[in-house]
Amino acid sequence: MLVQGIEKCRNELSPAHAEVIRATLPLVGANIQDIAKTFYKTMFSNHPELIKDLFNRGNQKQGAQQKALAASVATFAAMLVNENAPLPDHLLSRIGHKHAALGVTEDQYQIVHDNLFAAIVEVLGADVVTKDVAEAWDAVYWIMARVLIQFEKDLYKEAGVEPGKVWRSVKVAERRGLVNGIVRFTIESTDASKPLPTHQPGQYISVRAQLPDGAGQLRQYSLLDAGVQAGRLSFAVKALEATHEQPAGEVSNWLIQNAQQGKELEVSLPFGDLVLDTSSSSPVVLISGGIGATPMIGMLSRLANDKSTRQVLVLHADHSEKTDALAAERHHLVSQLSNAKLNLFYSHGEAGPHITVSHLDLKHVELPHDAQFYLCGSTDFLQAARESLKSMNIDAESVHFELFAPNDWLLDE
């Protein structure tokens, strides 16, 4: 449905508008970072509730959200005016699922539009953003917005809720400390008559934390469960200290410090498009680094639950055995599968069964033929893994990935 909607878009931009976009795309692209920064500054000034209760303040401080906007708008515009450009279906799917997990609704697109176009004029100047230029970019925005709005409505419909009505009151049923400052939380509905739903393996939920300054900040956490039984959901949270590269993890640290057993929280329904194809019988290769193991545990849980006979290869990289928080669960799940193999790569420690002391280098791993590859980890980890797979002539359509940041489509640049 999403691909069909995007393909239809190519015919929605008028020839006159397409000509203007082609002429101005280099200028807009060169300045889109400044446009994005101005846009967010203006929008949060006009609508302070958005940075307080919807947008990730940490990503804003790092400029990550601005990069995400820049990439999405420029990529979509380029696709509209270049019939040879690939369809940005993965990009829009990620945005749509993230919006659904945040409860975004159609009316909020108008807020974005008004502040974005005010920023374009402010950065480029009214002499550049003539009536024709403004109309052409306005058309691009609303074509993209309509695709996303419809896609998000479909996601809400599939979830059985009205648009934006994704929030559920839950309580912490279990809390278990793992290693490396990571805590595993298991939650259940505060209303026994409305249990938390099933989900696809690899999906995530949003958790809303009511912080001391009154902000209701949101973060997404991958689910560790098989997803086949309604009732409880589990996710892992890693404490994040402030560094020169990133601010402290507001929600993650709040959860670890405050979410004791019995604590009530507000979470969204599950969404996310990095999901295991459970209808396929092809081999599966799960590649993860650090806390990127979490969606892979969800996929392994489903495979184990289904008593799958698929060939499964699990590759995980971490600092050491002591920092591999989900090692025990991973070992247990792999042992439940009849045709699974586990390889661990630690940069420190001692070699042992399934353990190699080195960085993960996919070129030195025997990969199954015609497999589906699922990747999750840091930006550098994903870039290296995808480059390796590309050099090995692995079909890009077989490689599915997720980065715990707003910018995973930038990996394609």
Side-chain angles (χ1 to χ4, degrees):
M1 292 294 292
L2 179 58
V3 170
Q4 293 175 350
I6 298 173
E7 288 178 334
K8 182 180 178 183
C9 287
R10 292 188 188 271
N11 301 318
E12 292 187 16
L13 195 66
S14 72
H17 285 161
E19 184 178 350
V20 172
I21 296 301
R22 289 190 190 95
T24 57
L25 186 56
L27 177 64
V28 172
N31 289 277
I32 198 127
Q33 295 279 24
D34 289 336
I35 292 170
K37 290 177 182 178
T38 303
F39 155 68
Y40 280 107
K41 180 180 178 181
T42 302
M43 183 171 68
F44 294 149
S45 177
N46 293 333
H47 298 274
E49 73 279 4
L50 294 180
I51 187 61
K52 176 174 175 284
D53 296 325
L54 182 61
F55 284 85
N56 184 316
R57 296 191 296 197
N59 287 340
Q60 288 296 319
K61 291 177 181 178
Q62 292 178 275
Q65 193 71 48
Q66 288 91 331
K67 292 179 182 178
L69 176 72
S72 61
V73 174
T75 299
F76 191 83
M79 180 277 297
L80 288 179
V81 299
N82 180 2
E83 63 180 13
N84 295 320
L87 297 179
D89 51 319
H90 295 298
L91 181 157
L92 296 187
S93 179
R94 297 290 166 85
I95 295 174
H97 275 275
K98 182 63 70 70
H99 282 180
L102 297 174
V104 170
T105 51
E106 182 175 354
D107 57 295
Q108 290 171 313
Y109 280 86
Q110 186 67 52
I111 295 174
V112 171
H113 169 274
D114 295 346
N115 289 278
L116 177 59
F117 278 79
I120 291 174
V121 174
E122 181 176 340
V123 172
L124 299 184
D127 57 328
V128 173
V129 187
T130 62
K131 181 175 180 291
D132 289 343
V133 171
E135 287 180 352
W137 280 96
D138 186 81
V140 168
Y141 174 84
W142 284 115
I143 291 171
M144 180 176 170
R146 284 193 295 271
V147 173
L148 284 169
I149 289 168
Q150 184 57 56
F151 180 59
E152 289 155 21
K153 285 182 177 179
D154 292 340
L155 291 178
Y156 290 134
K157 184 176 180 180
E158 290 175 9
V161 297
E162 293 296 318
K165 304 297 184 181
V166 299
W167 299 102
R168 297 292 181 269
S169 176
V170 301
K171 62 182 177 182
V172 177
E174 295 178 7
R175 172 190 168 118
R176 179 158 58 92
L178 303 176
V179 301
N180 200 28
I182 297 175
V183 175
R184 178 182 176 128
F185 294 96
T186 299
I187 56 174
E188 61 186 12
S189 175
T190 55
D191 184 347
S193 67
K194 297 179 180 179
L196 294 173
T198 60
H199 61 87
Q200 297 183 66
Q203 290 191 309
Y204 54 77
I205 57 171
S206 293
V207 178
R208 189 194 304 275
Q210 296 298 331
L211 301 179
D213 64 359
Q217 283 285 285
L218 306 170
R219 298 295 184 273
Q220 286 74 47
Y221 299 100
S222 296
L223 296 168
L224 304 172
D225 319 273
V228 295
Q229 185 174 359
R232 290 185 168 188
L233 297 175
S234 296
F235 59 95
V237 178
K238 180 179 180 179
L240 294 175
E241 297 181 358
T243 68
H244 68 282
E245 296 178 346
Q246 66 180 21
E250 283 191 300
V251 176
S252 296
N253 294 354
W254 182 90
L255 283 169
I256 289 175
Q257 294 166 10
N258 296 279
Q260 303 299 325
Q261 186 172 350
K263 176 74 173 180
E264 292 193 8
L265 303 171
E266 190 177 16
V267 307
S268 75
L269 297 175
F271 293 98
D273 66 347
L274 181 73
V275 296
L276 179 70
D277 182 359
T278 56
S279 65
S280 174
S281 60
S282 64
V284 177
V285 179
L286 306 179
I287 305 172
S288 57
I291 196 63
T294 51
M296 307 308 168
I297 295 296
M299 295 181 193
L300 277 174
S301 296
R302 175 63 67 88
L303 290 166
N305 177 87
D306 295 347
K307 296 180 172 56
S308 175
T309 59
R310 295 169 71 175
Q311 183 180 1
V312 179
L313 176 60
V314 181
L315 307 173
H316 178 71
D318 223 304
H319 179 75
S320 70
E321 189 171 8
K322 293 181 179 180
T323 64
D324 188 358
L326 296 167
E329 188 163 3
R330 187 187 304 109
H331 275 283
H332 172 72
L333 292 169
V334 169
S335 72
Q336 303 302 302
L337 295 168
S338 62
N339 195 16
K341 183 177 181 181
L342 172 64
N343 286 329
L344 301 172
F345 297 84
Y346 297 144
S347 54
H348 297 82
E350 297 183 1
H354 313 296
I355 298 176
T356 301
V357 181
S358 75
H359 295 291
L360 171 57
D361 186 348
L362 293 177
K363 296 178 182 178
H364 295 155
V365 178
E366 184 177 350
L367 301 175
H369 181 64
D370 293 334
Q372 293 294 311
F373 297 80
Y374 299 88
L375 286 61
C376 190
S378 68
T379 302
D380 290 343
F381 178 84
L382 286 185
Q383 286 176 327
R386 293 181 72 216
E387 282 300 316
S388 292
L389 293 174
K390 183 178 180 181
S391 71
M392 300 165 70
N393 297 316
I394 300 296
D395 184 1
E397 291 299 313
S398 300
V399 180
H400 318 280
F401 63 95
E402 185 160 53
L403 176 71
F404 291 151
N407 304 323
D408 47 13
W409 49 82
L410 292 178
L411 297 175
D412 292 317
E413 292 192 337

